[in-house]
Amino acid sequence: MARVMNFNAGPAALPLAALERAQRELVDLEGTGMSVIEHSHRGKAYDAVHKQALSLVRELLAVPDSHEILLLQGGASQQFAWIPMNLLGEGKSADYVITGSWSKKAFSEAKNVGQARAAATTEKDGKFPRIPAQSELELDSKAAYVHITSNNTIAGTQWHEFPDTGSVPLVADMSSDIMWKPIDVSKFGIIYAGAQKNLGPRGIAVVIVRKDLIEGGRKDIPKIFQYRTHADKQSLYHTPPTFSVYLLRNVLDVVKQGGGLAAMEKHNRQKAELLYKAIDGRPDFYRSPVDKASRSMMNVVFNLPTPELEAEFVAEAQKKGMVGLKGHRSVGGIRASIYNAAQLSWIDALVEFMNDFKKGS
Ligand SMILES: *Cc1c(COP(=O)(O)O)cnc(C)c1O
């Protein structure tokens, strides 16, 4: 079997053990004689999977009782709309910190729903090279919430210290770095993430919401978009994407067996450090467009001297079994997405390739 070294940004690589388990169980889930996809979402077999997925999220992230965990459809982009729909009542305003294309999209969707303002932006010549300092945030102390993007998948930047928003709930799009390390969930009003980067397959968003925000949420919007509807039914109000939830369960189980998020952080820091060292070691050839203090541990972006060399780099890497290294179409360059499932051996191979490629050109 030839598995490639998959550096895709999303959907992205998943732990092989999680996929192999799915392969083994695909036609017969635990002796039930049918696939998880064929099971009723109201039956015992699926219910066990569903509950396990939820409890693994709670356990791994140490989610306190003050917060509900929801598994919702529509991905992270749909949460861009759900959040203001639920939290942004008449006469309220929300603050958005703009650090990349995804925060821009979230901000723009909020403005479609109600009042929102940019509390800071780090856009410079169309790029987002850094995360703002606390002192740059012009926060409205009466805001309904403050929204940040914890990891900027395209720009390759990441918040390494979360902002202090006082009593205003902090809402974070963690689509591309949820569970990369332990965090203090109690500091957040909402954490949300499309699953397809660090957690599993496309098809669900994991949404962690403080209970008082669910209770205080608007009731004058369609029931299906109210957090309380799904919280009241443990995310079984209607048919959930059962196969996605099942695979989420498999992935989280692998993370747990591997030592949980503390072990994951160590593994991730080691990978990122190797890669940034390879970039910094050859400043005449490889260049990081991102401020050092804002560098992402998940999406490592860099440039070569010319776009032609970058195209050649991507093509040559592919021949060696390394795929997905082309930068996002909006910014170009190279991007190595090294989420939880990316192996240390892949980074070693990439670093070796980077050294050889420079010598050859
Ligand atoms: C990928 C991504 C999204 C979009 O996720 P969808 O599930 O495709 O809507 C949003 N925010 C961030 C930070 C992302 O990386």
Side-chain angles (χ1 to χ4, degrees), residues 154 286-287 289 299-304 307 309-315 324-328 331-337 350 354:
I154 297 172
Y286 297 115
R287 191 174 45 78
N299 308 98
V300 178
V301 298
F302 57 98
N303 290 96
L304 273 62
L309 275 169
E310 286 167 348
E312 196 186 322
F313 181 94
V314 171
L325 288 166
K326 193 171 186 300
H328 189 270
V331 292
I334 308 292
R335 170 174 55 178
S337 296
L350 178 56
M354 286 169 72

Side-chain angles (χ1 to χ4, degrees), residues 7 10 21 49 58 70 84 88 103 116 153-154 176 198 214 289-290:
F7 294 100
R21 179 175 181 184
V49 169
R58 192 167 292 278
L70 307 175
L88 207 46
S103 20
T153 325
I154 297 172
S176 51
N198 229 6
I214 298 177
V290 165

Side-chain angles (χ1 to χ4, degrees), residues 14-29 34-42 45-47 49-50 53 71-73 195-196 199-205 235-236 238-252:
L14 293 178
L16 182 59
L19 297 175
E20 284 176 339
R21 179 175 181 184
Q23 184 181 43
R24 280 195 308 275
E25 295 182 343
L26 185 67
V27 299
D28 180 9
L29 179 70
M34 57 177 136
S35 170
V36 65
I37 315 166
E38 300 166 299
H39 269 284
S40 163
H41 62 294
R42 305 282 175 212
Y46 175 73
D47 198 56
V49 169
H50 190 89
L71 304 175
L72 301 174
Q73 302 180 51
Q196 69 272 19
L199 299 182
R202 172 72 204 155
I204 34 169
S235 303
L236 285 165
H238 63 143
T239 321
T242 50
F243 192 60
S244 296
V245 174
Y246 163 82
L247 261 167
L248 170 70
R249 189 282 305 264
N250 287 7
V251 170
L252 296 184

Side-chain angles (χ1 to χ4, degrees), residues 190-212:
I190 299 183
I191 289 169
Y192 67 101
Q196 69 272 19
K197 276 117 190 190
N198 229 6
L199 299 182
R202 172 72 204 155
I204 34 169
V206 172
V207 185
I208 302 169
V209 194
R210 222 171 63 200
K211 285 176 181 163
D212 63 298

Side-chain angles (χ1 to χ4, degrees), residues 74-78 80 102 149 151 153 173 175-176 194 196-197 202:
S77 301
Q78 203 168 105
F80 294 169
W102 291 116
T149 311
N151 183 71
T153 325
D173 174 0
S175 292
S176 51
Q196 69 272 19
K197 276 117 190 190
R202 172 72 204 155

Side-chain angles (χ1 to χ4, degrees), residues 155-306:
T157 63
Q158 189 174 26
W159 290 79
H160 293 298
E161 213 172 306
F162 293 116
D164 180 359
T165 58
S167 59
V168 177
L170 178 60
V171 173
D173 174 0
M174 293 197 183
S175 292
S176 51
D177 69 350
I178 190 167
M179 296 213 195
W180 86 276
K181 68 163 185 180
I183 54 163
D184 181 356
V185 174
S186 72
K187 293 220 163 89
F188 296 85
I190 299 183
I191 289 169
Y192 67 101
Q196 69 272 19
K197 276 117 190 190
N198 229 6
L199 299 182
R202 172 72 204 155
I204 34 169
V206 172
V207 185
I208 302 169
V209 194
R210 222 171 63 200
K211 285 176 181 163
D212 63 298
L213 297 176
I214 298 177
E215 283 153 19
R218 287 174 67 160
K219 292 181 174 155
D220 58 345
I221 56 171
K223 191 173 174 183
I224 189 78
F225 297 131
Q226 296 179 28
Y227 287 127
R228 69 173 62 75
T229 305
H230 304 277
D232 289 348
K233 302 283 186 207
Q234 291 77 49
S235 303
L236 285 165
Y237 169 69
H238 63 143
T239 321
T242 50
F243 192 60
S244 296
V245 174
Y246 163 82
L247 261 167
L248 170 70
R249 189 282 305 264
N250 287 7
V251 170
L252 296 184
D253 203 35
V254 171
V255 172
K256 182 181 167 176
Q257 302 309 324
L261 299 193
M264 198 47 88
E265 176 175 11
K266 206 165 152 231
H267 164 72
N268 284 327
R269 285 197 188 277
Q270 196 180 0
K271 290 185 298 180
E273 204 170 295
L274 277 173
L275 206 40
Y276 282 118
K277 206 170 131 203
I279 295 166
D280 293 341
R282 289 144 209 95
D284 55 323
F285 196 70
Y286 297 115
R287 191 174 45 78
S288 161
V290 165
D291 276 19
K292 252 190 183 162
S294 300
R295 284 174 170 179
S296 169
M297 301 292 123
M298 297 279 100
N299 308 98
V300 178
V301 298
F302 57 98
N303 290 96
L304 273 62
T306 65

